Amino acid sequence: MKPKVAFFDFTSCEGCQLDALNLTAEELISLLNAVDIVNFREVMTERADNYDIAFVEGSITRESEIPRLQNIRDRAKVVVALGACACIGGVNCLKNHLPVDAALRIVYGKDARYYDTIPARPIDALIKVDYYVRGCPPITAELLKVVKALLLGKKPEIPNYPVCTECKMAGNICVFERGMTCLGPVIRAGCGAICVTSGRHCWGCRGLVDDPNLDSEKDILQKYGLTVEKVVEKFKIYNTYAEVTK
Ligand code: SF4
Ligand code: SF4
Ligand code: SF4
């Protein structure tokens, strides 16, 4: 019996699910040989309520999403948070900087009263999450790594060291040398420091490492004459829930 896998979305842009489909034909065939996908709104109309592994995309931003999420948890043996919105709250949590009423008025104006909204949360604020596939969107290699580990009954090994490690291994020149800030020293690796390698800096989409060395980040900022405020601004884009709401 192949394990039954389901994909669900909550408040999100659905980019994580789209990216999950961005596999090579060979990878897709191997995946379909190993699991039965029984629920995936973006690609199939059939829906089944019995599944072993649930991938959940999106954060929780409406009261009505809570029982639906709990129902998924009750049915699945394993729940995997898929992407930054589900894992850490992500960009949806930016609204948590304002009172809910104010955020509603700004977005919906006179129609605000028709919308059910609550402060945004990652899914593990409401249910137990077994594994996390991080990033905005996650890299498909990591998604496949997690699926393979689950099929083998193993715990997926996800780095718990900072992006800087992978950035150095990629041979990048640190953006601090160019007067820019970067969250790499405190953010969990696993993406290969893709943003720095592409000429940008790390925005923190994979969330904090378990034991971030915030003093070290402050020391680096001081060394380059930059302020903590500048880096906190960037940190809030994906990590408001960790910073403000929790
Ligand atoms: S993590 Fe990024 S790509 Fe995935 S749903 Fe959220 S905003 Fe979209
Ligand atoms: S701070 Fe950013 S640019 Fe510098 S090494 Fe770390 S990840 Fe790379
Ligand atoms: S470099 Fe930073 S922002 Fe870019 S994918 Fe990696 S963790 Fe996310």
Side-chain angles (χ1 to χ4, degrees), residues 10 15 45 50-51 57 69 86-87 115 119 127 140 150 156-157 168 170 187 197-198 203 218-219 230 241 246:
F10 286 81
T45 45
N50 58 326
Y51 37 82
E57 178 201 55
L69 179 68
C87 293
Y115 292 89
I127 59 162
T140 42
L150 292 178
E157 281 184 25
K168 297 289 181 200
I187 295 299
T197 306
S198 313
W203 295 91
K218 283 180 196 158
D219 289 347
K230 278 202 163 191
Y241 187 79
K246 219 170 183 176

Side-chain angles (χ1 to χ4, degrees), residues 6-17 54-61 65 68-69 72 79-93 120-138 143 204-207 237-239 241-242 246:
F7 285 78
F8 299 100
D9 46 81
F10 286 81
T11 302
S12 62
C13 75
E14 300 193 12
C16 294
Q17 288 183 93
F55 284 88
V56 178
E57 178 201 55
S59 45
I60 303 304
T61 71
E65 291 176 327
R68 181 175 165 239
L69 179 68
I72 291 167
V79 171
V80 184
L82 179 63
C85 293
C87 293
I88 55 174
V91 290
N92 294 323
C93 289
R121 281 169 270 184
I123 63 169
D124 67 3
L126 293 151
I127 59 162
K128 175 177 176 283
V129 170
D130 300 295
Y131 300 110
Y132 297 82
V133 181
R134 296 167 182 275
C136 177
L143 174 62
C205 79
R206 292 177 58 85
I237 293 172
Y238 282 104
N239 293 278
Y241 187 79
K246 219 170 183 176

